[in-house]
Amino acid sequence: MATCGLIEYEDATAEVRAVYDDIRAVRQTESINNFWKALAHDAALLRRTWESVKAVMGRGELDPLVKEMLYVAVSVTNQCGYCIASHTAAARKAGMTDAMFGELMAVVGMANETNRLASGYQVEVDERFRT
Amino acid sequence: MATCGLIEYEDATAEVRAVYDDIRAVRQTESINNFWKALAHDAALLRRTWESVKAVMGRGELDPLVKEMLYVAVSVTNQCGYCIASHTAAARKAGMTDAMFGELMAVVGMANETNRLASGYQVEVDERFRT
Amino acid sequence: MATCGLIEYEDATAEVRAVYDDIRAVRQTESINNFWKALAHDAALLRRTWESVKAVMGRGELDPLVKEMLYVAVSVTNQCGYCIASHTAAARKAGMTDAMFGELMAVVGMANETNRLASGYQVEVDERFRT
Amino acid sequence: MATCGLIEYEDATAEVRAVYDDIRAVRQTESINNFWKALAHDAALLRRTWESVKAVMGRGELDPLVKEMLYVAVSVTNQCGYCIASHTAAARKAGMTDAMFGELMAVVGMANETNRLASGYQVEVDERFRT
Amino acid sequence: MATCGLIEYEDATAEVRAVYDDIRAVRQTESINNFWKALAHDAALLRRTWESVKAVMGRGELDPLVKEMLYVAVSVTNQCGYCIASHTAAARKAGMTDAMFGELMAVVGMANETNRLASGYQVEVDERFRT
Amino acid sequence: MATCGLIEYEDATAEVRAVYDDIRAVRQTESINNFWKALAHDAALLRRTWESVKAVMGRGELDPLVKEMLYVAVSVTNQCGYCIASHTAAARKAGMTDAMFGELMAVVGMANETNRLASGYQVEVDERFRT
C-alpha cells in the first residue's frame, strides 16, 4: 500500500533517483535507508527533507557525533522506534562508545524526569534566567 | 501554597541546607535555582534528585557542554519552559556560542520533524538496524 | 489476558452487542476494529467513547475527510502506531489520495519542527496574537 | 477574541446555563472554572466534555483522590500548565497532603525517566508480560 | 540575550532582510512574526525554515485553511503556546469560523484520548490495516 | 549488539550481580526484567536507577498499587510499549482488577483530551488556582 511501501532505486523516477544518488554520495554507502524509500512516494518531500538533513547534520560548530547524539536524545524522548534504531546506529558509526551511550541515556532519562518535576511543582523561572 | 512556594536557605531544615550547601559547592555559586527551592518541600526527593543530577551531569565520556546541550534538546522537545530557560543558560555558561545554539536548535527541530515522518509513513526498521 | 484480549460479538454482553451493532450501522461495515473489541472489557467506557467518536467525527462544519486527516496529524504527533494505521486507512477510505497524504505529512513534520524552534528560542507571543 | 474569551453565566445561552448549573450542583461550589467558560463557545463540546468528566471522575472502584492524582500525573507528563494548576488544587481539596504530592511527583518523574531508558535501550517486552 | 532577542529589520543583515522581504511579499503584510525575528540569529536556519514553510503551506492538494488547522492540531497536541496562538490566528485569517474551531478542538481532544486508550489496552493493529 | 543485548546473571560483573540479587530480594522473585538486563551495560546507571525505583515505589503515603497505576498513567501518556506492558502487569500483581484498570484508562484518556482542550482554547489559569 502506498502509505508505506518502499520505492527501490530501479522503480524510482529520475527525480527520486537523483536524491538517492546524492544520499549514496554523501553517506558514502550503497544502502538507502527505508526512511528515504518511504518518503520517495512524495518526491518534493523527499528532496526537501534530504536537503535539510544534509545541511543540518554536516560538520559545523558541532561535530557530527554530537549531532547524532542530539538526534538520539530527541528520538528517545519522542519514543520513535525507527529513529532510535537508525540514529543510534549512525551515532555508533560516528564513534559513540558503549560508555558514551550510557551517559547519553542517563542525561536523557534525567532530563525527562526533571522536566516533569519543574512543571509539576510549577516552578517560576529564576529572574536571572529570564531573557 | 506548598505546591510551589520556594524554601529559602534560612527557612530550610538541616537536611535541606546540607543539599543547598553541596549544590553551592559543586556549582561554585551562591545562588540556588528555584527548582531546588521548590523540591525542598520533599527533602528525600530533593536529595535523591540532586545526587542523580550531580552524578549524571559531571565530567565523564561526554563533556559537560555536550551534556547540557542534550538536556536542552530534551527540554525543548518536551516544551518545558523552566528547563529550557535554565539549561540554555547553563549551556551558555559552559561555553555554548550563538552558532552552536543555532545548530542545536536546527538538529532538534529536524529530529522532531523526521520522527513524525518515520511514524506517519509507518516505516519498518531496516534489517541492518535491528539489534 | 483481560488487558488486551479482544471480545468478539458472540462472546459479548447485550450492552456491548448494542454498541457493536450501532458501530456496524453507522460505519456500514460488518467488521469491528480491534480498538472497540478491547474497550469492550469496560462496557461503560466502550459506550461513552463510541458515542463521543460518533458525535465528533460525523459531518459538520468540517467534512469527514478533513476530520480524519486531523486525527492522523494528532496520532502521528503522539507516535501512536495503532491510531496511525487505523486512521490513515480511514482517511484513505474517505478519499485521501497519495498526494494529499504527502502534504498532510509535510505539514505535520513542519509543525513538529517549528513548535520546537518556537519553544527553544523562547519566542514571546506577538502582541497582536494575544487574546 | 472568541478563541479564548470566557462566557459568564449571565451571558450564556440556556443550554450552557444548564451545564453550568449542573457543574455547580455536582461540584457543590458557585464558581465555574475558566476551562468550562472557554468551552462554552461550543455548547455541544461543553456538554459532552462535562458529561464525560462527571461520569469518569465520580466515585467508582478508584476513589476520587486517586483519580485526581492520576489526572495530575497525566497533566504533568503533558506539561499542561492549566491542568496542572487546576487538578493539583482539586487533588488537595480531595485530601492530597504535601507528603502525598511529593510521592506523586517522585513517581511521575521516575516513570518519565524510565520510559525513555526502556525506549532508548530498545528493550524487548519480556515474554511473561506479553498478553 | 541572544537566545531570544528579536532582530528588527533595521538591525538585520542583508541576508536576513532578504528573507523578511520575501515573508512580507508572500504573506502580504508588513508585520514579521516574532518567530522569524528570533530565528534571524541564525540566518541559515531562518532561510531554510522559511523556504520549507513557504513550500509546505502554500496551495496544493489541500487548501491553506485545512493546512492551518492541521498545524493547530499538532501545536495543541504538543502544547506549544506560541504556535497555538499564531496558527489559530492564521487559521481564522484563512476563514476558520468559531464552529469550525470547535470541531477542530473536539477532534484533537478525542484523538488524544483514543490514542492513549489504544496504547493502554495494548491493541494489536487489525490485519486489514497492516500495510 | 550492545545497545540492547541483555546481560544474564551468569555473564554479569560482581557489581551488576549485586543489583540483580537486591532486585530479586526486594521483588521476591527469581526473574529479572529485561529492562534491568539492558541497563546492566552501564553498571552505574543500573545501580542508580534501581536505587531510585526502590526508594520511590516502596510503601509510603501512597500505597504500592496507587503508585503502579500512576506509573501506568504516565507510560500510557508517553506511549511507551515496554513500560505499559511491564507496569500494567505489576499493577495487576499488586491487586488492580479489570474494573480498576477500566477506570484508570478512562481517567488517562479524559485527562489527555482535556489537557489539549485547555491548551487549544488558551484558557487562563483561574486566579484562585494561582500559587
Side-chain angles (χ1 to χ4, degrees), chain A residues 63-115:
Chain A
D63 72 76
L65 172 55
V66 169
K67 288 182 175 179
E68 283 296 347
M69 289 194 293
L70 288 168
Y71 223 115
V72 172
V74 170
S75 303
V76 167
T77 298
N78 285 330
Q79 316 259 341
C80 176
Y82 183 85
C83 311
I84 291 169
S86 58
H87 285 280
T88 298
R92 287 188 175 282
K93 192 173 164 190
M96 180 175 70
T97 62
D98 280 7
M100 293 165 82
F101 178 73
E103 288 191 14
L104 165 59
M105 285 300 101
V107 174
V108 169
M110 178 68 44
N112 272 287
E113 177 177 37
T114 59
N115 279 188

Short mmCIF file of all heavy atoms in Angstrom, two decimals, chain A residues 63-115:
data_model
loop_
_atom_site.label_atom_id
_atom_site.label_comp_id
_atom_site.label_asym_id
_atom_site.label_seq_id
_atom_site.Cartn_x
_atom_site.Cartn_y
_atom_site.Cartn_z
N ASP A 63 30.29 18.80 16.17
CA ASP A 63 30.76 17.74 15.29
C ASP A 63 29.64 16.72 15.06
O ASP A 63 28.70 16.62 15.85
CB ASP A 63 32.05 17.10 15.82
CG ASP A 63 31.82 16.25 17.04
OD1 ASP A 63 31.30 15.12 16.87
OD2 ASP A 63 32.15 16.71 18.15
N PRO A 64 29.74 15.98 13.96
CA PRO A 64 28.69 15.02 13.59
C PRO A 64 28.28 14.05 14.70
O PRO A 64 27.09 13.73 14.84
CB PRO A 64 29.32 14.29 12.40
CG PRO A 64 30.16 15.34 11.77
CD PRO A 64 30.80 16.03 12.96
N LEU A 65 29.21 13.60 15.52
CA LEU A 65 28.85 12.67 16.58
C LEU A 65 27.92 13.34 17.59
O LEU A 65 26.92 12.76 18.01
CB LEU A 65 30.11 12.14 17.30
CG LEU A 65 29.84 11.30 18.55
CD1 LEU A 65 28.90 10.14 18.24
CD2 LEU A 65 31.16 10.78 19.13
N VAL A 66 28.23 14.57 17.96
CA VAL A 66 27.37 15.29 18.91
C VAL A 66 25.98 15.46 18.29
O VAL A 66 24.97 15.24 18.95
CB VAL A 66 27.97 16.66 19.27
CG1 VAL A 66 26.95 17.51 20.03
CG2 VAL A 66 29.24 16.47 20.10
N LYS A 67 25.93 15.79 17.02
CA LYS A 67 24.64 15.97 16.36
C LYS A 67 23.83 14.67 16.34
O LYS A 67 22.63 14.68 16.58
CB LYS A 67 24.85 16.49 14.93
CG LYS A 67 25.31 17.94 14.89
CD LYS A 67 25.47 18.44 13.46
CE LYS A 67 25.82 19.93 13.43
NZ LYS A 67 26.01 20.43 12.05
N GLU A 68 24.52 13.56 16.11
CA GLU A 68 23.80 12.28 16.10
C GLU A 68 23.29 11.94 17.50
O GLU A 68 22.19 11.40 17.67
CB GLU A 68 24.70 11.14 15.58
CG GLU A 68 24.89 11.12 14.06
CD GLU A 68 23.59 10.86 13.28
OE1 GLU A 68 22.58 10.44 13.88
OE2 GLU A 68 23.60 11.11 12.07
N MET A 69 24.06 12.29 18.53
CA MET A 69 23.61 12.00 19.90
C MET A 69 22.42 12.91 20.25
O MET A 69 21.50 12.49 20.94
CB MET A 69 24.76 12.15 20.89
CG MET A 69 25.78 11.04 20.75
SD MET A 69 26.94 10.96 22.15
CE MET A 69 27.81 12.50 21.89
N LEU A 70 22.42 14.13 19.75
CA LEU A 70 21.28 15.03 19.98
C LEU A 70 20.04 14.44 19.29
O LEU A 70 18.94 14.48 19.83
CB LEU A 70 21.57 16.42 19.41
CG LEU A 70 22.60 17.26 20.17
CD1 LEU A 70 23.01 18.47 19.34
CD2 LEU A 70 22.04 17.71 21.52
N TYR A 71 20.25 13.87 18.11
CA TYR A 71 19.16 13.25 17.35
C TYR A 71 18.58 12.08 18.13
O TYR A 71 17.36 11.91 18.23
CB TYR A 71 19.68 12.76 16.00
CG TYR A 71 18.77 13.07 14.82
CD1 TYR A 71 19.18 13.94 13.82
CD2 TYR A 71 17.50 12.49 14.70
CE1 TYR A 71 18.37 14.24 12.74
CE2 TYR A 71 16.68 12.77 13.62
CZ TYR A 71 17.12 13.65 12.64
OH TYR A 71 16.31 13.94 11.57
N VAL A 72 19.47 11.29 18.73
CA VAL A 72 19.02 10.15 19.54
C VAL A 72 18.24 10.66 20.76
O VAL A 72 17.17 10.13 21.10
CB VAL A 72 20.21 9.28 19.99
CG1 VAL A 72 19.76 8.22 20.99
CG2 VAL A 72 20.85 8.61 18.77
N ALA A 73 18.74 11.72 21.39
CA ALA A 73 18.07 12.27 22.58
C ALA A 73 16.64 12.69 22.27
O ALA A 73 15.71 12.42 23.05
CB ALA A 73 18.86 13.47 23.11
N VAL A 74 16.44 13.33 21.14
CA VAL A 74 15.09 13.76 20.74
C VAL A 74 14.23 12.55 20.40
O VAL A 74 13.08 12.44 20.85
CB VAL A 74 15.16 14.71 19.52
CG1 VAL A 74 13.77 14.96 18.95
CG2 VAL A 74 15.82 16.02 19.91
N SER A 75 14.80 11.61 19.64
CA SER A 75 14.04 10.43 19.21
C SER A 75 13.61 9.57 20.39
O SER A 75 12.51 9.02 20.41
CB SER A 75 14.88 9.59 18.23
OG SER A 75 15.27 10.38 17.12
N VAL A 76 14.47 9.46 21.39
CA VAL A 76 14.14 8.68 22.58
C VAL A 76 13.05 9.40 23.37
O VAL A 76 12.11 8.78 23.87
CB VAL A 76 15.39 8.47 23.45
CG1 VAL A 76 15.01 7.94 24.84
CG2 VAL A 76 16.35 7.50 22.76
N THR A 77 13.16 10.71 23.46
CA THR A 77 12.16 11.49 24.19
C THR A 77 10.79 11.36 23.51
O THR A 77 9.76 11.27 24.18
CB THR A 77 12.59 12.97 24.27
OG1 THR A 77 13.83 13.02 24.99
CG2 THR A 77 11.56 13.82 24.98
N ASN A 78 10.79 11.30 22.18
CA ASN A 78 9.54 11.14 21.43
C ASN A 78 9.12 9.69 21.27
O ASN A 78 8.08 9.41 20.66
CB ASN A 78 9.70 11.75 20.03
CG ASN A 78 9.65 13.24 20.06
OD1 ASN A 78 9.02 13.85 20.89
ND2 ASN A 78 10.37 13.86 19.12
N GLN A 79 9.93 8.77 21.79
CA GLN A 79 9.61 7.34 21.69
C GLN A 79 9.39 6.90 20.24
O GLN A 79 8.45 6.16 19.95
CB GLN A 79 8.35 7.04 22.52
CG GLN A 79 8.31 7.69 23.87
CD GLN A 79 8.70 6.74 25.00
OE1 GLN A 79 8.67 5.52 24.87
NE2 GLN A 79 9.08 7.31 26.11
N CYS A 80 10.26 7.38 19.32
CA CYS A 80 10.15 6.97 17.92
C CYS A 80 11.08 5.79 17.63
O CYS A 80 12.30 5.96 17.46
CB CYS A 80 10.53 8.14 17.00
SG CYS A 80 10.52 7.69 15.25
N GLY A 81 10.49 4.60 17.58
CA GLY A 81 11.28 3.38 17.39
C GLY A 81 12.21 3.39 16.19
O GLY A 81 13.37 3.02 16.31
N TYR A 82 11.68 3.80 15.04
CA TYR A 82 12.51 3.79 13.84
C TYR A 82 13.73 4.70 14.00
O TYR A 82 14.86 4.32 13.72
CB TYR A 82 11.71 4.24 12.60
CG TYR A 82 12.57 4.16 11.36
CD1 TYR A 82 12.70 2.97 10.66
CD2 TYR A 82 13.30 5.26 10.93
CE1 TYR A 82 13.54 2.86 9.56
CE2 TYR A 82 14.14 5.18 9.83
CZ TYR A 82 14.26 3.97 9.15
OH TYR A 82 15.10 3.88 8.07
N CYS A 83 13.47 5.92 14.50
CA CYS A 83 14.55 6.90 14.61
C CYS A 83 15.56 6.52 15.68
O CYS A 83 16.76 6.80 15.54
CB CYS A 83 13.96 8.28 14.91
SG CYS A 83 12.60 8.69 13.79
N ILE A 84 15.10 5.88 16.75
CA ILE A 84 16.02 5.44 17.80
C ILE A 84 16.97 4.40 17.20
O ILE A 84 18.19 4.49 17.36
CB ILE A 84 15.24 4.83 18.98
CG1 ILE A 84 14.46 5.93 19.72
CG2 ILE A 84 16.20 4.11 19.93
CD1 ILE A 84 13.45 5.39 20.73
N ALA A 85 16.41 3.45 16.46
CA ALA A 85 17.24 2.39 15.87
C ALA A 85 18.22 2.95 14.84
O ALA A 85 19.41 2.65 14.87
CB ALA A 85 16.34 1.34 15.23
N SER A 86 17.73 3.80 13.94
CA SER A 86 18.61 4.27 12.86
C SER A 86 19.64 5.29 13.35
O SER A 86 20.80 5.23 12.95
CB SER A 86 17.77 4.87 11.72
OG SER A 86 16.96 5.94 12.18
N HIS A 87 19.26 6.18 14.25
CA HIS A 87 20.23 7.18 14.69
C HIS A 87 21.19 6.65 15.76
O HIS A 87 22.30 7.16 15.90
CB HIS A 87 19.52 8.47 15.14
CG HIS A 87 19.02 9.24 13.97
ND1 HIS A 87 19.83 10.05 13.22
CD2 HIS A 87 17.80 9.27 13.37
CE1 HIS A 87 19.13 10.58 12.22
NE2 HIS A 87 17.90 10.12 12.28
N THR A 88 20.78 5.63 16.50
CA THR A 88 21.73 5.02 17.44
C THR A 88 22.81 4.33 16.61
O THR A 88 24.01 4.42 16.92
CB THR A 88 21.01 4.01 18.36
OG1 THR A 88 20.02 4.69 19.13
CG2 THR A 88 22.00 3.35 19.32
N ALA A 89 22.38 3.68 15.53
CA ALA A 89 23.35 3.02 14.65
C ALA A 89 24.26 4.07 14.01
O ALA A 89 25.48 3.88 13.94
CB ALA A 89 22.60 2.24 13.56
N ALA A 90 23.70 5.20 13.62
CA ALA A 90 24.50 6.26 12.99
C ALA A 90 25.49 6.85 14.00
O ALA A 90 26.64 7.14 13.66
CB ALA A 90 23.57 7.35 12.46
N ALA A 91 25.02 7.00 15.25
CA ALA A 91 25.90 7.56 16.28
C ALA A 91 27.07 6.61 16.55
O ALA A 91 28.22 7.03 16.69
CB ALA A 91 25.11 7.81 17.57
N ARG A 92 26.77 5.31 16.58
CA ARG A 92 27.85 4.33 16.82
C ARG A 92 28.84 4.36 15.66
O ARG A 92 30.05 4.34 15.86
CB ARG A 92 27.27 2.93 17.00
CG ARG A 92 26.57 2.77 18.35
CD ARG A 92 26.17 1.34 18.62
NE ARG A 92 25.63 1.22 19.97
CZ ARG A 92 26.39 1.16 21.07
NH1 ARG A 92 27.71 1.23 20.98
NH2 ARG A 92 25.81 1.06 22.26
N LYS A 93 28.30 4.48 14.45
CA LYS A 93 29.17 4.53 13.26
C LYS A 93 30.06 5.78 13.35
O LYS A 93 31.21 5.77 12.91
CB LYS A 93 28.30 4.57 12.00
CG LYS A 93 29.05 4.33 10.71
CD LYS A 93 28.06 4.22 9.54
CE LYS A 93 28.78 4.38 8.20
NZ LYS A 93 27.81 4.51 7.09
N ALA A 94 29.51 6.84 13.97
CA ALA A 94 30.26 8.10 14.09
C ALA A 94 31.23 8.08 15.28
O ALA A 94 31.91 9.07 15.55
CB ALA A 94 29.29 9.27 14.21
N GLY A 95 31.24 6.97 16.01
CA GLY A 95 32.21 6.85 17.09
C GLY A 95 31.67 6.77 18.51
O GLY A 95 32.44 6.76 19.48
N MET A 96 30.35 6.69 18.68
CA MET A 96 29.79 6.60 20.03
C MET A 96 30.15 5.24 20.65
O MET A 96 29.84 4.20 20.09
CB MET A 96 28.28 6.78 20.00
CG MET A 96 27.63 6.69 21.38
SD MET A 96 25.85 7.05 21.32
CE MET A 96 25.27 5.55 20.47
N THR A 97 30.80 5.27 21.81
CA THR A 97 31.15 4.02 22.50
C THR A 97 30.00 3.62 23.43
O THR A 97 29.07 4.40 23.66
CB THR A 97 32.40 4.25 23.38
OG1 THR A 97 32.06 5.25 24.36
CG2 THR A 97 33.57 4.74 22.54
N ASP A 98 30.09 2.42 24.02
CA ASP A 98 29.07 1.98 24.98
C ASP A 98 29.01 2.96 26.15
O ASP A 98 27.93 3.31 26.63
CB ASP A 98 29.40 0.58 25.51
CG ASP A 98 29.00 -0.51 24.53
OD1 ASP A 98 28.60 -0.17 23.39
OD2 ASP A 98 29.09 -1.69 24.90
N ALA A 99 30.17 3.42 26.59
CA ALA A 99 30.21 4.33 27.74
C ALA A 99 29.53 5.66 27.40
O ALA A 99 28.79 6.22 28.21
CB ALA A 99 31.65 4.57 28.17
N MET A 100 29.76 6.14 26.18
CA MET A 100 29.13 7.39 25.77
C MET A 100 27.61 7.20 25.65
O MET A 100 26.84 8.07 26.05
CB MET A 100 29.71 7.86 24.43
CG MET A 100 31.18 8.26 24.51
SD MET A 100 31.95 8.38 22.88
CE MET A 100 31.39 10.02 22.42
N PHE A 101 27.21 6.06 25.13
CA PHE A 101 25.77 5.78 25.01
C PHE A 101 25.13 5.73 26.39
O PHE A 101 24.05 6.28 26.61
CB PHE A 101 25.55 4.44 24.28
CG PHE A 101 24.10 4.08 24.16
CD1 PHE A 101 23.26 4.75 23.27
CD2 PHE A 101 23.54 3.07 24.96
CE1 PHE A 101 21.91 4.44 23.17
CE2 PHE A 101 22.19 2.75 24.86
CZ PHE A 101 21.38 3.43 23.97
N GLY A 102 25.82 5.12 27.35
CA GLY A 102 25.28 5.03 28.71
C GLY A 102 25.09 6.42 29.30
O GLY A 102 24.06 6.69 29.94
N GLU A 103 26.06 7.30 29.07
CA GLU A 103 25.93 8.67 29.61
C GLU A 103 24.82 9.43 28.89
O GLU A 103 24.07 10.19 29.51
CB GLU A 103 27.26 9.41 29.47
CG GLU A 103 28.32 8.89 30.43
CD GLU A 103 29.54 9.80 30.48
OE1 GLU A 103 29.48 10.96 29.99
OE2 GLU A 103 30.57 9.36 31.02
N LEU A 104 24.71 9.20 27.58
CA LEU A 104 23.65 9.85 26.79
C LEU A 104 22.30 9.45 27.36
O LEU A 104 21.44 10.30 27.64
CB LEU A 104 23.78 9.41 25.33
CG LEU A 104 22.59 9.67 24.40
CD1 LEU A 104 22.27 11.15 24.32
CD2 LEU A 104 22.90 9.13 22.99
N MET A 105 22.11 8.16 27.60
CA MET A 105 20.83 7.69 28.12
C MET A 105 20.57 8.25 29.52
O MET A 105 19.44 8.61 29.87
CB MET A 105 20.81 6.15 28.18
CG MET A 105 20.63 5.49 26.83
SD MET A 105 19.08 5.97 26.01
CE MET A 105 19.75 7.18 24.86
N ALA A 106 21.62 8.34 30.32
CA ALA A 106 21.48 8.85 31.69
C ALA A 106 21.00 10.31 31.66
O ALA A 106 20.12 10.71 32.43
CB ALA A 106 22.79 8.73 32.44
N VAL A 107 21.57 11.11 30.76
CA VAL A 107 21.17 12.52 30.66
C VAL A 107 19.73 12.62 30.14
O VAL A 107 18.92 13.38 30.66
CB VAL A 107 22.13 13.30 29.73
CG1 VAL A 107 21.62 14.73 29.52
CG2 VAL A 107 23.54 13.33 30.32
N VAL A 108 19.42 11.84 29.12
CA VAL A 108 18.07 11.88 28.54
C VAL A 108 17.03 11.47 29.59
O VAL A 108 15.98 12.11 29.72
CB VAL A 108 17.98 10.97 27.29
CG1 VAL A 108 16.53 10.79 26.83
CG2 VAL A 108 18.81 11.56 26.16
N GLY A 109 17.32 10.44 30.33
CA GLY A 109 16.38 9.99 31.36
C GLY A 109 16.21 11.05 32.44
O GLY A 109 15.09 11.38 32.83
N MET A 110 17.33 11.58 32.91
CA MET A 110 17.31 12.61 33.95
C MET A 110 16.54 13.85 33.50
O MET A 110 15.73 14.41 34.23
CB MET A 110 18.75 12.99 34.28
CG MET A 110 18.93 14.07 35.30
SD MET A 110 18.41 13.57 36.94
CE MET A 110 19.15 11.93 37.00
N ALA A 111 16.79 14.28 32.27
CA ALA A 111 16.12 15.47 31.75
C ALA A 111 14.61 15.25 31.66
O ALA A 111 13.81 16.12 32.01
CB ALA A 111 16.68 15.85 30.39
N ASN A 112 14.22 14.05 31.23
CA ASN A 112 12.79 13.77 31.15
C ASN A 112 12.16 13.75 32.53
O ASN A 112 10.99 14.10 32.69
CB ASN A 112 12.55 12.44 30.41
CG ASN A 112 12.44 12.64 28.91
OD1 ASN A 112 11.44 13.16 28.41
ND2 ASN A 112 13.50 12.29 28.19
N GLU A 113 12.93 13.35 33.53
CA GLU A 113 12.42 13.34 34.90
C GLU A 113 12.29 14.76 35.45
O GLU A 113 11.23 15.16 35.92
CB GLU A 113 13.36 12.53 35.79
CG GLU A 113 12.95 12.53 37.26
CD GLU A 113 13.87 11.67 38.10
OE1 GLU A 113 15.09 11.63 37.85
OE2 GLU A 113 13.35 11.00 39.04
N THR A 114 13.37 15.52 35.35
CA THR A 114 13.35 16.86 35.95
C THR A 114 12.43 17.83 35.19
O THR A 114 11.89 18.76 35.78
CB THR A 114 14.76 17.45 36.06
OG1 THR A 114 15.35 17.50 34.77
CG2 THR A 114 15.62 16.60 36.99
N ASN A 115 12.23 17.59 33.89
CA ASN A 115 11.26 18.42 33.15
C ASN A 115 9.91 18.34 33.85
O ASN A 115 9.22 19.34 34.03
CB ASN A 115 11.09 17.90 31.71
CG ASN A 115 12.16 18.33 30.73
OD1 ASN A 115 12.03 18.10 29.54
ND2 ASN A 115 13.23 18.94 31.21
#
